[in-house]
Structure formats: structure tokens, C-alpha cells
Amino acid sequence: MQEYYEDVYSLFEDYDPEEVQLILERMIKIDVEDETLNYRKVWEAINIDPQDILKLENDREVAIKEIQENLKDFARLHPEKANNFFRMYLKTQREEPFKSELSRQGLLLSATSQFEFLITHLLRAHFLESKYDEKLSEDLSYEELDEQITDLVKKNSKFLSMFNKLDYLVRKHPLRPDFVRDELKEISERRNVFAHRSGRADETYIQFNKKVEIGDRLRISQNYMKYALEYLHLWGLVICVSVGERLNIYDEKEMGKLLSGTAMQLIRAERYEFCVKLCEQILANISFNSQNNKNTLLINSSISLEKLNLKDEMEKLLSRIRLTPAESVPGLGKLSKAGPFFHSVPMAVYILRGKLALAMDMLERAADSEQISYLDLDHWVIFDYVTQEPRFQNVKEKLKHKITIAS
């Protein structure tokens, strides 16, 4: 944004930079907060007097002709500056999907459609893996798949909505109460408003958004788009993992890679708050046959909390992790969920607690027992905390040497 400020200032030598800053802040506030599109607010944000605004028959408000003529004069008298100004404006609209309202509308339509595709294919997995119906083929087009699932799920209806499918799926594979269906309904109905109703709220939409009235022209702010995408991303992942676990689609190793890889992608992208939300919902909705998978998820969530400087919340998660091997019960042996003890788990806990000597002890044990590899040292974000530690460098060299000998 600073680049845009500097370009704007260079166009208007006598224009007060502080006023430009205030105008931009007002525009950003409108873009982030407003549910509906209000041209009058936009004109007022750029200091156009309300008396200089005309309302056309189609309810669109525009600045009066004199203001438009001033823009023409500016372009005629200063063509190079005008060209730079409008090129810069187009750059702000096209550089990223979030910066253009039109792009955000298309993004919302695409995201909700992809979520519906996901629900349909999870239902296919439900019928195939649970052996509910032998008629479902493994090789169907999306249209054929949707038609067959509709025949299996529908109740006295020729049309099966995404929510009918979702309700059926969630009934068979329950989610925790944190799953708020009405939020998804609002996102879906806002999509329908732009796809079928020229962007104006109708009776159906206002059931899920009390801030607007029938006929209001809706908009999709950057803030709303971020919220909608995160909601669809979060619950798409949670439903996938939940259904996959209950149907035994993944083995424990695959499940661990899926969960850990997803969390680390989010951490690398600095999406710490979203990573915490995702880990929290997966921990609530998955039973975890592997204690190691659960511990790894707790650690990755703790890393995100540490990045957010939420140390108390981080400590609450770390306190749920066992730092010593589980003891066997006479006559029963080790509990099935305990699995093998991984030294990398207490190592990560000690790193986050700042106990580096103990952490390096565990790292060396993990390396000696071949529980971690050279590639793990670059892959897992927990090692970013100790890259400068001499003992870490020694372990890294030893593991690298093993790869060299093996090759």
C-alpha cells in the first residue's frame, strides 16, 4: 500500500498527504465492514459533497457532471499523470483476487461449488466403503455420481440440495456441536444471491443475515471473503478426515502424514489462527487410533499458539502430552492406542518450553533409534527453533552422513 501512496502523492503536488491517508482509511473501512453496497458512502469517503450526488432511475448514485468534467480536464491537461493514475487503479483491482469485488464474487461461487463437489464425493465414499449399496460404480462422471446419490438419499423429492446431502452425511458421521450449519447456509445463500438474483437480498437470504433487508444490494468485502474461505476450508478438511477415519479409508501412517502435512503448510504460510482452529476441531472430532498422531497434532497447534504469543494456551495443550513411555498393565500388555514411544514428542515439548538441553537429549535418542531422518530436520517446523544449536548441527551431520553412505 505504501507504493500506491507514493504514486498518488506524486500526482498531486499540492494535495495534503494526511488527507489522502484519511480517504484511503475510510475506503478500506467501507470495504472491510459494510454488508451492502452503498455508493453514497463511497462518494462521501472521497470528500464529495452529498449535494453533488445524483440518484438515477436505476437507484445508482453518481457524481454530478462537473466532477466528471474535472476528471476529463485532468486527463487532457496532464495525460501522462492521468495514464499513470488509472493504470495504478487497475493494478489495485487486478493484482490479487481479493482486491477486486468482481473477482471476489467469482471466487465465492467457485469455492461453494467445490465444497458441494466434496460433499458429493464423500457420500460416494460412504456408500462404497460402508457397502450400503452395490449399485454405485467406482468410475462415474460427476453428473452420474450425483444422480445415483440423489436416488439413494432423497426423500420424496426429485431434487437433492447440498444441505440434504450434508445432513445425511453428518447424520451417519456425526460432528461436534461446533459445526454451525447456519453459517454455511448464509455463505451458500449469498452465493445464490449473486448467481441468480443480481446481488440483491431476498426473503430466503435475510433468514440467515438480520443485518440486511429485502432488496439491499449485497457486496463481498475482503473480510467476508476471508471468513467464507476459511469456513469452507476448515469444515471441508474436518469432514474429510472424520469420514475417512470412520470408514477406515486411511491407515494410521497415512492419517498422520495428512494431518501433520496440512498443519505444517498452514504454519509455513503463517496462518497460525486458522491452524489452531483446524487442530482444535480435528482433536474434537477424531478418535485417534494412534497416540503419536494425536501428539503431533497437539505439538503443531502449540507451535501456532507460540507464534501468536499465547503461551498459557500453548502450555495447556502441551500438558496433555505424555513425556515418558506408557507402562504396561500386568496381564494386558501395553494399551493398543499407546503405540511405540517416539523421542521426538518430548523433544518438541521441551523445545517449546525452552528446555533446550533436555530437547537435545531427546533429539539424539530419536536419531540413534532411527525415529527421525535427515529429511525430517528440514520438514518439521519445530526444528526451526534450534537450527543454531551445536548439538542439533551435530545430529544433522550424522544423519546426512548416513544418507551419503547409503547412496
Side-chain angles (χ1 to χ4, degrees), residues 247-260:
L247 296 178
N248 295 316
I249 293 176
Y250 314 108
D251 61 27
E252 290 182 6
K253 191 174 182 180
E254 287 177 326
M255 178 71 78
K257 285 184 177 180
L258 171 66
L259 297 177
S260 179

Side-chain angles (χ1 to χ4, degrees), residues 311-327:
K311 300 297 178 65
D312 290 342
E313 288 83 347
M314 179 193 77
E315 187 57 41
K316 288 178 182 178
L317 288 188
L318 295 180
S319 65
R320 296 166 60 180
I321 300 174
R322 189 182 184 91
L323 301 181
T324 57
E327 297 181 2

Side-chain angles (χ1 to χ4, degrees), residues 21-59:
Q21 175 78 23
L22 290 173
I23 289 173
L24 288 170
E25 288 178 357
R26 288 195 292 267
M27 295 290 285
I28 290 170
K29 185 176 181 182
I30 290 172
D31 189 45
V32 169
E33 295 181 354
D34 279 18
E35 290 279 339
T36 58
L37 186 61
N38 188 329
Y39 288 105
R40 184 171 292 272
K41 278 191 176 183
V42 175
W43 294 125
E44 291 175 355
I46 58 176
N47 295 335
I48 294 178
D49 192 293
Q51 294 180 352
D52 290 335
I53 301 172
L54 297 180
K55 194 165 189 175
L56 305 183
E57 290 182 0
N58 61 359
D59 290 335

Side-chain angles (χ1 to χ4, degrees), residues 1-17 19-21 23-24 74 81 84-85 88-89 92:
M1 192 61 82
Q2 180 180 356
E3 174 189 343
Y4 299 142
Y5 290 162
E6 291 172 352
D7 288 341
V8 170
Y9 295 155
S10 69
L11 297 176
F12 306 98
E13 292 85 352
D14 298 328
Y15 213 82
D16 183 0
E19 188 171 354
V20 174
Q21 175 78 23
I23 289 173
L24 288 170
F74 170 67
K81 288 184 177 181
N84 289 339
F85 180 84
M88 185 177 58
Y89 170 75
T92 67

Side-chain angles (χ1 to χ4, degrees), residues 268-306:
R268 295 290 188 195
E270 299 183 358
R271 295 180 63 191
Y272 306 128
E273 292 182 1
F274 183 76
C275 184
V276 172
K277 289 180 186 177
L278 176 63
C279 293
E280 180 183 354
Q281 291 302 332
I282 289 179
L283 287 164
N285 284 283
I286 305 301
S287 60
F288 285 101
N289 292 321
S290 167
Q291 186 64 39
N292 186 59
N293 286 346
K294 182 177 182 179
N295 287 339
T296 303
L297 196 67
L298 286 166
I299 290 167
N300 286 326
S301 184
S302 297
I303 292 172
S304 294
L305 289 169
E306 193 277 335

